[in-house]
Amino acid sequence: MKYMKLCTLLIVLFGIEFSASAQKDKNDEDVVQEYSCSSEVPVANVFIEDTTPGRGLADNYYLWDNGKTLYVKFLSGSKSLQDKVKTIAKEWEKYANIKFQFVEVGPSHIRINLDDKGGHNSLIGTMAISIPQDEKTMNFDTTDFKTYAAMYRTVLHEFGHAIGLLHEHYSPIAGIHWNKSAVYAELKQTQGWTKEMVDVNLFQQYNVTYTNGTKYDPKSIMHYPVFARWTTDGFNVNWNNQLSEGDIALIKLLYPKDGGRLNEVPRFTISDFTSIKVTNSDVKQGISVYPSFNINTAGRSARVYFIAFFYDSDGNPIMKEGNSYSINKMAATFKSTVLDVNKKLSANKANANDFELFIPYSELPVATGKNNFQVEFRVYLLDDKELKILYQSKRSVFNFIKS
Ligand SMILES: [Zn+2]
């Protein structure tokens, strides 16, 4: 048992509010965005509507260690374009205590797809750690690089996300008076965006703590353009083409070159997720789920929740209200523990079955004979009132026969 003191099976009511619900339960990865960048949204935002993620605005929970060297790899793109991206990205190194080392082989933290589709996007900071090594964590769409200025601001913006920055217009102190109906109508027509996509990309607001004490900065490279026709008072923001004074001040605060970071929060990461093994036992009258992963902890200690959610064979969540084996009405089982900092723990590695999430048959629509379910594994971190997603697996199909 390599795993540290994970609590024994918890049969307590889950005390925190998960707002996962069927209609929101979709991946945002196929959100296409030409208007700007769709990076932002760590999956958490899709599932959790009442937490206040993120802070000139950074998500401190997804910051890299100060002084970190990040290995960056291109998955595609011409040598000349790659060279331009490298040069632009390094602009951040002037102010942040972080290094981008571009590599062609071996493991990497950031992987860039550089071709003529997919819009621009990047995972936020350390969320990239949970992505398999053969998958991209950042996308550039060269059709949008009609001028060097457009490429320059886009590369700075996406690398800003990659080191933990959020969209500046999410700032709770921005005070933008949106003409929401005009924005919904225009982006539906020009981008094909739904109301929900506009809400996520433009109108969401983060808790004021995410500003790290900085002021709202309409000059930030992380701000979307805002057209005057989108506001009720004519307020507008043009394309920002370079790092602002606010961007520089914020990144110096987050990654100081002299001394340690002041505002440290729990920064936990999940890596090397390989599989979910699922077994059933007629003796135990239930189903055991064994997700295989590593977890690293940094920053401060915090409580983590390891959860298995259950879906039917069509992928619809199995709803289960008012029960200890349900989370926000979804059939689920979990373990929770407080983890100390600077730990490297692993679960179900090296053929061990040392970390089990168990659910009794009685909590699922199990029938005698053939059964078919899908299982999804998620990890959340809870820090005071901040609930952050650390990992969400793809669904595993599980077939079994109950005698
Ligand atoms: Zn963005």
Side-chain angles (χ1 to χ4, degrees), residues 37-40 157-158 161 167 222 224:
C37 125
S38 55
S39 312
E40 237 36 38
H157 180 103
E158 298 309 332
H161 287 317
H167 282 159
M222 305 310 293
Y224 272 16

